[in-house]
Structure formats: structure tokens, C-alpha cells
Amino acid sequence: MAASIPARRGTLRIYLGAAPGVGKTYAMLAEAHRRAGRGTDVVAGVVEHHDRPRTAEQLDGLEQIPRGTGAPGGAAAGELDTAAALARRPAVVLVDELAHANAPGSRNPRRWQDVEELLRAGIHVISTVDISQLESLGDVVRNITGVRPRETVPDEVVRRADQIELVDMSPEALRRRMAHGNVYPADRIDAALSHYFRPGNLTALRELALLWTADRVDAYLQRYRTEHHVSAIWQARERIVVGLTGGPEGRTLLRRAARMAAKGSGSEILAVHIARGAGRRGGSPRELAVQRSLVEDLGGTFHRVVAVAGDRVPEALLEFARGVNATQIVLGTSRRRSWQYVFGPGVGATVARDSGPDLDVHIVTHEEAARGRGLPVPGGFRPRRARRAAAWALGLTGPLLLTALPDRYQPAHAPGLAHELLLLTAVSVAAALLGGLLPALASAALGALLLGWYVTPPLHRWAVADPRNAVALAVFCAVAVTVAAVVDLAARRTQQAARLRAESEILSRLAGGVLRGGTTLEALLERVRETFGMESVALLERLDDAAPWSCAAAAGPRPARRPEDAEVDMPVRDGLALALSGRVLPARDRRVLAAFAAQAAVALDRRRLLDEAQRARELAEGNRIRTALLAAVSHDLRTPLAAIKAAVTSLRSGDVDWTPEDEEGLLEAIEEGADRLDHLVGNLLDMSRLQTGTVTPLIRGTDLDEVVPAALGGVPEDSVVLETDEALPMVAVDPGLLERAVANLVENAVKYGPPGEPVRVRASALGDRVELRVCDRGPGVPDSDKERIFAPFQRHGDAPRGTGVGLGLAVARGFAEAMGGTLEAEDTPGGGMTMVLTLRAAGDHGPAPEEERPAGVTG
């Protein structure tokens, strides 16, 4: 009997969406019709169209496998009949809602397990899933929407799909579909739009879907690279920390990190320099200033971290990276020479070893790799102490080793004068390269003396018998001195060129900052402090020669209070000076400092001009408000006063015999006018308090049921429908301010709403927030005017004069922001305006119980 050959596994295609209603099922059915049109055997195993007409129409022309009826031995009622699908064995089966939980008694607990059976049988499957239904994103979705998905699917099931297609739709388009009744029945539209389908929720879910799909694309790309043996590096997106040492390789690292960040949306670059001790060692201040300007130009941020005593640079760097939730670190290849690794593995290797699995470390090569740690020293050739010590050691011990030791231990095999001269010349040149001119001169002089003692006859005497040897020694000294001088001059020119290049870059970026006008005075002084390695920098000014100095701005601890108290005093202009504390600055640095000082004066003038412009705007706004107030007093306040005056005059008239009903009507008119006056004056006083900043809310935990009903007292009882949940958490508000804000919102909604259509006030909890929504069915407001209606003395459209001064919404938003909340305007589905007042939940009360998402809600 021949062995059975196992069926080849079928392929799985998934349509992924951000939320229900984006069109996943419709796209699945469209794909089914496309395949059926090509002659593929396609059947619908289970399609959840949720009575959406356009989706249901797509089922026409497709064979459907009858759903289970609950009969003994068959599938559960309403569920996919997996056995029937396996017996039918079509080429493709449509199985909607991959995350669906099957009814008790079904063949498998979950629908994705039914799909696995079909795939193992060699049947291709097309399915749908929402991003919120991925198991790993449950907590994220709950934090965004306040709803934990009840039906989920393991991420690995979706990741194993052969094809994943994102069905994307903007939040605005989805809400329009919802409002038109294309997703939910009419009785569920308002609740859905007010909760799960809010614009912020949909935007966040859409971003989750896009990012998850992008990660899936990266996985496909990696597999393609592996299969096609692609070795070139293709960048990805992440938050990136760049470690800077203060060396010239930092610019290469920053540009490399910028290219990496450009590969993905939302990537961030954070450059950090780890300084030891007081932060004045371990890097060139000028180079760090240039790199700081570069990272700011690239859209990143610069950070300086001081490693406290006992901390190592790798530990401080990793602590910073984890503190900012970084995902990648970019470091340069070490500038150590190979022999220096005997003292330790270096920063890069240590960071890579200790970073852990959640932090990627990139070691980037550069031109300075393995060239040593010496940095160009601006001004002249001043090698570091270790190099000077090595130069003196070589210059003094080299001649001894080449002359005295051969004479003592192997005199018969000692090299001749010509060889000795060449070797001592090489030693002198090496000393010049390491330490400059003085070690080379000392080496040449010592070599000449030792040659006269040990090599030239008569030996061991300070004399030279042969004139030719004397000439050779003189030529040796001249050549050694000349070569040493040339080497020292070349080194000086190299350092001067490096200094001039650094200065030119600093000045060019300084000029760019002047043109852009984006550098604040404090940031400029901080850059001065870092560039010149100072402890503090202060910009001092005084009105005249007799006036005391005052500090206009400063950077660093303990800035100087007078120019004479600082180590460096740079006059800027009459009555303005830049004072630097920390060390005496060489004269060669004052040219660059003068450019910084001039820029500081420009920044100070710019800041004061901006302050004057702001004061001018405030004065103009005050004049506008006063003008509007005069208009309000002259018209809007006179209207109720005229009504009161007319009613009082009528009551006091002696020639008219008023009936009790007439008197009651006149008194009612007086009371109504007084109430309108009280409301108008109250809003004017509230707006005045907000404008002057004298509103001081007394925040405490408050139950909305204590405040909202009281705020409805100023409108007819049947004009508002209040819908609140008893399980709502308390809110952190000032009860008095909240009552005034809600009263203004409700009165505004009633005023603009059509007669007979009550205003609905709803409250709901979303995580650590509570939303109060005031919905009316009035004419609404265009999107372009939604912010303008919150300005003082604004009345939208054709609001009649005498109905208010246009302060209600401005006062409500001001009170909301004073309590740490927000007030925004949205369209009411079906027409009208919804005011959304968002408040903070009280800290000692947890959020409302979780609301579970209804089963079967999908696209």
C-alpha cells in the first residue's frame, strides 16, 4: 500500500484594520470575487457582515458553507462548520473575525484554531483581525480606549500569515461612516462616537496598526535579505542615543545617527557627553560646542552628564540611555592604539557587553579610529604630559642605548660612526614628533657628546682627533636641529589649522544662529561656557558708570556679579559686559569670545523686543476687550435694564389699574431681567479674573453628581437630559468653578439648540480622565471657527444681540484650564455641536471598572 503524502500547508492572508468599520470584511469579499473571477474555487466559511447592506451585497455570487445549527455531532449554532469545510475542500475559504471565541461545545475554543485545521489540510484561508485584538497589545489598547478587548488572537498566529494587508482609513472618514449609519445601528452611534470611536482613540489605534505593519514589513525585508544574501546595511527607525567624547569623530556619529533616524517616523536623536569630575575633562570644549550645534541642526538634543566619583563612563552612559527609554546607542570605534587595549576593553566593548537584550549598540567606524587619543590643542603645539614624558625619555635614553651599551658589552661589534649618526638622527626626529623641539634638541646634543666619548678617537676622552669626524658631528647636530625644527613647525601649523577650522565652524554656526534668531540668550551663554571650558558665564549690564551691575542672564553655578570679579571680562558695549569665571583665557581666544559677546548682545536686544511686542499685543488685546466691553455695556446690558425700567415704571403708574395677573407678569419680567443682568455681570467679572490671573482654584475630590445637577438650574427643566454613570470616579476640581463652567456650556447649548430637542449631558471615565460632553442639535460650527468661538466677546453666526456678550465659552475654557482640564468643540453626529470637558480623576480614586468590548465587533 502506498504511503499517503501529507497535504501542503495552505496560505493565510489577513486583512488588518485599526478599528471596526474600516472595511476589512468588504476588502476580504472583494478579494474573493477577484479570485473567483479567475476561476479559483472560493467559498465563504463564515462572514460577519453585521447587517451592513453594502457588505452583505458582496456575498452575492459566492458559495457559502452553512453555519452550524447546534445539532448533535455538528458545529455549534452560528459558528464555522469546520468539518463541512474540510469535506468540501475548496481552494480558498473566507473566515471572518480571526479572534472570535467559539460558542461552548464547538470543535475548537477559538476560531483561529479552526483556521489552523484548514491550513494544515492544504486549504488557503482569507481572514480579518483588528489591531486591538492582538494579545500583546491588550494593555496598550486598554490605556488608550479604556476598553480591554474580550476576544484576542496570539500574535504569533498573525505573524505567521503569508500575507498581511492593512486596511487603512482616517479617523475623520471612519467617524463620518459611523455618523451616516454605515457601521452601527442608529441607537448605538452616539455612544460609540463618544467613547471608543473618539478621534484621539482612532488616531492612536491607527498608529499602532501602521507601526505593527511596518515591523512586519521589516521582518519580510530581513527574510528577503537573508534569502538573497544581501550584506549591505539597510537602516531602521528607533530612538537613538549618540555617545560623544569631544573628539572629531563625533560629527560622523551624529550624521550617521541622523541617517538612521530618518528611516522611521518619530525617531529621536539624543547626543550625550559623559564628563568626569566637574565636567571639564575628557573632551575639547570647542569641538563639543560644534557638535552641539550640529545635533540641534539635525533636530536632536544635546545632554551633558557628569559621572560621579566611582562611576565609570560605560555605566553612566547606559544609565542615561535607559533613563530616556532609548532603544539604540551609537558609539564610535575606539581611538585607542592596539597596545592600549592591555589596560581594558574600552567603552564601546563594555557598553555592548552590559547593554542587555533590550538595547542595541552600534559601533561606527570613522577616520580617527586607532589614531590615538590626542586631540588638537588650539593655539600651538602643546603635547599632553604623557607624550612629553615619553619624548624626553626617548631623547635621553636612546643615545645612551645606542652608544654606551655597545661600547661596554660588545665593543668589537659596535656600529661605526656613520651608522651611529643615522640611528641618533632617527631618535632625534622621533623625540620631535612626540614632544616638540626641546626634547629633540636635547637628544641631538646628548648624542653628539656621547659619540665624541664612545665612538670617535681618541675614545673615552672629550676630544676629536680626526677633523672629518668633527665635521660629521657638526653636520649631525645641524641636521638633527633642522629636522626637529621642521617637524615642530609642521606640528604647530597642523594645530593652528585645526584651531582655525574649529573657530570658523563656531563662527559660521554663530552667524547661522543670528540669521535664524532661534537661539535663546541662556542657551547662547551655556554654549560660551562649554566652548571655553568655564564654570560660569554672566551677561552683566548697568544704566551708567555710577549704577551698580545687574545680571541680565547667566549660565553655570555662582556667576560673577561684577566684571572685576571674573577671570575674563569682555566688554560688549557701554554698560554691557560678558564675565567668565573658571580660568584665565588666552589672548588668542578673545577673538572668538568677542563674536559670542556680540551675539549675546543681539540675543538680549531680541528678547527685550519680543517682550515689548508681547506687551504691545497684550495692550492691544486689552483695548479690544475694553472696546467690546463698552459695546456690551452700551447695548447688551442696557436691554435687560430697559425691560426692568419699563416694568417698574408700569407698576408705579397710578393711572392704570393692573390686575393681579398683569402685576405678576411685570414682576416676572423684572426678575428675568435681573437674572440676565446677574449672569452678564458674573461672566464679565469671571473674564476679568481670568485676564488678570487672579483665579486660584481650590482643587479637591468632587463627585460630578454634586455639581452638574446644580449647574442646570438656569435652564428649563425639560431642556436637558442628564446621563451619568454612578460608578464614575471623583474628579479633582474646584466645585464652584466647575459649576460655573458647566452652567455656561449648558446655557449656550440650550440657546442654540432647536425647540423641542433637549441638550444631552453625558459623563464617562477614560483611564485617569473623566469626560463631560454637552451635546446639542443646533446649527453647529465649521471646523475653521471651532477655536474662535472660545475667544472673549465672540458670538457665532447670526446670534441676536441682547442674548449675551459672548463670554460664556471663554469663561468655561478658562476655568477648565485653571483646574488642569481642557475644553474642546466637536461635531455632534447627525448635526450640532458637542462641547467636551475633560477633567482629571481624583488621585485617591481608581478608574471606573473596565468596560468589555462587545463580542463580534469588527470590520
Side-chain angles (χ1 to χ4, degrees), residues 400-716:
L400 288 173
L401 294 174
L402 293 174
T403 56
L405 290 182
D407 177 79
R408 180 176 180 85
Y409 295 105
Q410 290 183 329
H413 300 286
L417 178 61
H419 293 87
E420 292 279 5
L421 290 174
L422 291 175
L423 293 174
L424 289 177
T425 302
V427 171
S428 179
V429 171
L433 289 172
L434 285 174
L437 184 59
L438 290 180
L441 294 177
S443 177
L446 179 61
L449 292 175
L450 292 176
L451 286 174
W453 181 266
Y454 289 109
V455 178
T456 60
L459 299 178
H460 304 145
R461 291 181 60 186
W462 299 111
V464 180
D466 190 344
R468 291 175 297 179
N469 292 340
V471 172
L473 292 177
V475 171
F476 160 71
C477 290
V479 170
V481 170
T482 302
V483 171
V486 170
V487 170
D488 179 72
L489 180 62
R492 290 177 182 275
R493 293 289 184 265
T494 300
Q495 299 303 324
Q496 290 172 0
R499 169 188 172 82
L500 292 175
R501 182 179 65 180
E503 286 186 359
S504 65
E505 292 190 6
I506 290 174
L507 292 175
S508 65
R509 295 188 183 280
L510 196 60
V514 174
L515 295 175
R516 291 191 302 268
T519 303
T520 64
L521 180 57
E522 288 72 17
L524 179 63
L525 296 183
E526 179 64 24
R527 186 173 299 178
V528 173
R529 188 177 76 88
E530 294 176 355
T531 300
F532 297 99
M534 293 293 180
E535 288 185 359
S536 63
V537 178
L539 185 63
L540 306 177
E541 64 175 345
R542 61 180 178 181
L543 297 177
D544 52 56
D545 293 341
W549 290 95
S550 62
C551 183
R558 300 180 300 277
R561 296 301 177 186
R562 299 182 303 169
E564 52 266 29
D565 296 338
E567 278 77 9
V568 181
D569 171 21
M570 172 60 69
V572 182
R573 63 188 183 207
D574 291 342
L576 193 65
L578 196 62
L580 290 76
S581 303
R583 65 185 180 92
V584 177
L585 198 65
R588 59 181 173 269
D589 290 335
R590 295 184 69 87
R591 183 168 63 91
V592 178
L593 180 60
F596 274 108
Q599 170 66 354
V602 173
L604 178 63
D605 293 340
R606 183 190 303 119
R607 186 173 71 176
R608 288 177 173 168
L609 288 174
L610 291 175
D611 292 341
E612 291 180 3
Q614 179 61 29
R615 286 194 294 270
R617 284 193 294 270
E618 292 174 355
L619 289 174
E621 178 66 14
N623 289 332
R624 189 186 69 80
I625 291 177
R626 281 191 291 272
T627 301
L629 178 60
L630 290 174
V633 171
S634 64
H635 187 283
D636 296 299
L637 295 182
R638 289 180 60 186
T639 301
L641 282 174
I644 294 173
K645 175 67 175 177
V648 171
T649 301
S650 299
L651 286 174
R652 296 187 61 185
S653 175
D655 55 351
V656 179
D657 188 13
W658 301 103
T659 65
E661 292 79 7
D662 294 334
E663 292 181 354
E664 182 66 25
L666 291 172
L667 291 174
E668 185 176 346
I670 293 173
E671 183 179 16
E672 181 181 350
D675 290 341
R676 288 175 59 188
L677 272 179
D678 179 68
H679 180 72
L680 292 173
V681 173
N683 275 338
L684 287 171
L685 294 177
D686 290 339
M687 197 66 235
S688 175
R689 293 166 60 200
L690 290 170
Q691 292 285 339
T692 57
T694 57
V695 175
T696 306
L698 302 176
I699 304 297
R700 63 178 178 86
T702 305
D703 195 329
L704 286 179
D705 289 339
E706 300 176 6
V707 178
V708 176
L712 308 181
V715 296

Side-chain angles (χ1 to χ4, degrees), residues 57-69:
E57 290 173 2
Q58 286 287 93
L59 277 171
D60 295 342
L62 292 177
E63 178 185 346
Q64 301 184 48
I65 297 177
R67 297 197 186 194
T69 59

Side-chain angles (χ1 to χ4, degrees), residues 20 187 210 213 218 251 285 304 396 404 428 638 747 786 821 858-859:
D187 58 343
L210 291 170
T213 308
D218 289 340
R251 307 179 208 181
R304 177 185 289 268
L396 298 179
S428 179
R638 289 180 60 186
E747 290 173 7
K786 281 188 172 61
T858 185

Side-chain angles (χ1 to χ4, degrees), residues 19 130 173 217 231 256 262 458 598 612 692 778 828 831 835:
D130 278 339
V217 171
S231 59
R256 183 76 165 84
E612 291 180 3
T692 57
T828 301
M835 291 294 171

